[in-house]
């Protein structure tokens, strides 16, 4: 029902940490990785995936970015290509330094199946700061709440205004694959940079439905 997509570039320790976590918690969802790293690091990633011994359903491919692209356009293009290949009705976008609890993703999918008026489903989230000692691992030094707000007004205009006045990132919401692809293609085709793109995607999701 759901696919996790991970666009990444030159952040092998973080990606390996993420995949190690998903293997440990026996994540049941297919994972699609678009890797724009240098060839040497990409080969290291493939080797790491092999060592997981099939514990995760991973589809990993190398995506070569255009060095002349504006900030974030490579990530946007990679994300679009990943979504195009998704075969499940739901998708979640997973940066390589973030992680999800699989059971909460299942709950999000179940919720969206029962509530067609919602365009995305979010849950509680925390931000943690680590003292890294190597391989993107170390002791957690601090934690704080990462705000994820419900936006449940009946009218699209009210949802949009509420989101603009009380902004929170919605890129990590579980979404329906088709509309998600359309929104990311809008970013790509209109050459919107990643900084404004985050805000743009959040507004589009609020206009599409409740969150």
């Amino acid at each position: 029902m759901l696919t996790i997509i991970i666009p990444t570039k030159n952040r092998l320790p973080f990606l390996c940490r993420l995949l190690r976590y998903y293997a440990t918690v026996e994540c049941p969802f297919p994972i699609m990785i678009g890797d724009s790293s240098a060839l040497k690091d990409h080969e290291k990633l493939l080797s790491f995936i092999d060592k997981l011994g099939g514990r995760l359903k991973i589809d990993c491919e190398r995506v070569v970015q255009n060095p002349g692209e504006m900030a974030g356009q490579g990530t946007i293009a990679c994300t679009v290509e990943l979504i195009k290949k998704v075969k499940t009705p739901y998708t979640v976008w997973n940066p390589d330094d973030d992680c999800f609890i699989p059971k909460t993703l299942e709950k999000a999918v179940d919720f969206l199946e029962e509530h067609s008026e919602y365009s995305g489903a979010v849950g509680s989230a925390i931000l943690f700061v680590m003292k890294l000692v190597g391989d993107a691992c170390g002791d957690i030094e601090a934690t704080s709440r990462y705000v994820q707000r419900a936006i449940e007004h009946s009218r699209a205009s009210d949802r949009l205004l509420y989101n603009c006045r009380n902004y929170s990132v919605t890129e990590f919401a579980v979404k329906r694959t088709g509309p998600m692809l359309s929104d990311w293609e809008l970013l790509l085709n209109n050459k919107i940079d990643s900084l404004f793109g985050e805000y743009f995607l959040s507004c589009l999701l609020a206009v599409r439905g409740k969150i």
Side-chain angles (χ1 to χ4, degrees), residues 46-101:
L46 295 179
S47 176
F48 178 83
I49 292 173
D50 285 341
K51 291 177 182 176
L52 291 175
R55 293 159 64 193
L56 296 172
K57 294 175 276 190
I58 299 175
D59 179 359
C60 178
E61 65 176 59
R62 188 162 181 257
V63 180
V64 179
Q65 294 185 6
N66 180 354
E69 290 171 324
M70 70 169 64
Q73 276 287 296
T75 300
I76 293 169
C78 181
T79 298
V80 167
E81 290 307 308
L82 288 173
I83 302 173
K84 284 180 178 178
K85 295 176 181 178
V86 170
K87 301 188 186 317
T88 56
Y90 298 97
T91 304
V92 67
W93 187 74
N94 192 161
D96 53 30
D97 59 352
D98 295 305
C99 63
F100 295 98
I101 299 172

Side-chain angles (χ1 to χ4, degrees), residues 21-180:
Y21 159 74
Y22 280 141
T24 300
V25 298
E26 300 180 350
C27 178
F29 304 111
I31 298 171
M32 299 182 66
I33 301 171
D35 183 19
S36 300
S37 305
L39 181 58
K40 182 178 180 180
D41 278 348
H42 180 68
E43 290 173 346
K44 289 180 180 178
L45 172 60
L46 295 179
S47 176
F48 178 83
I49 292 173
D50 285 341
K51 291 177 182 176
L52 291 175
R55 293 159 64 193
L56 296 172
K57 294 175 276 190
I58 299 175
D59 179 359
C60 178
E61 65 176 59
R62 188 162 181 257
V63 180
V64 179
Q65 294 185 6
N66 180 354
E69 290 171 324
M70 70 169 64
Q73 276 287 296
T75 300
I76 293 169
C78 181
T79 298
V80 167
E81 290 307 308
L82 288 173
I83 302 173
K84 284 180 178 178
K85 295 176 181 178
V86 170
K87 301 188 186 317
T88 56
Y90 298 97
T91 304
V92 67
W93 187 74
N94 192 161
D96 53 30
D97 59 352
D98 295 305
C99 63
F100 295 98
I101 299 172
K103 287 190 179 298
T104 64
L105 296 179
E106 292 175 4
K107 289 179 181 292
V109 168
D110 290 343
F111 180 84
L112 291 175
E113 283 281 284
E114 296 176 4
H115 299 85
S116 59
E117 71 275 22
Y118 282 75
S119 57
V122 298
S124 299
I126 62 169
L127 176 70
F128 59 87
V129 178
M130 300 180 71
K131 182 178 181 180
L132 300 182
V133 295
D135 294 329
C137 296
D139 295 332
I140 294 177
E141 295 188 314
T143 61
S144 62
R145 184 186 175 199
Y146 190 84
V147 177
Q148 300 278 274
R149 290 189 174 88
I151 306 175
E152 299 179 299
H153 306 75
S154 297
R155 297 193 306 173
S157 57
D158 290 335
R159 293 194 299 270
L160 178 61
L161 287 172
Y162 179 85
N163 186 56
C164 292
R165 293 169 178 163
N166 306 275
Y167 179 69
S168 62
V169 179
T170 62
E171 280 181 288
F172 311 122
V174 172
K175 304 171 186 175
R176 295 179 178 86
T177 301
M180 182 179 181

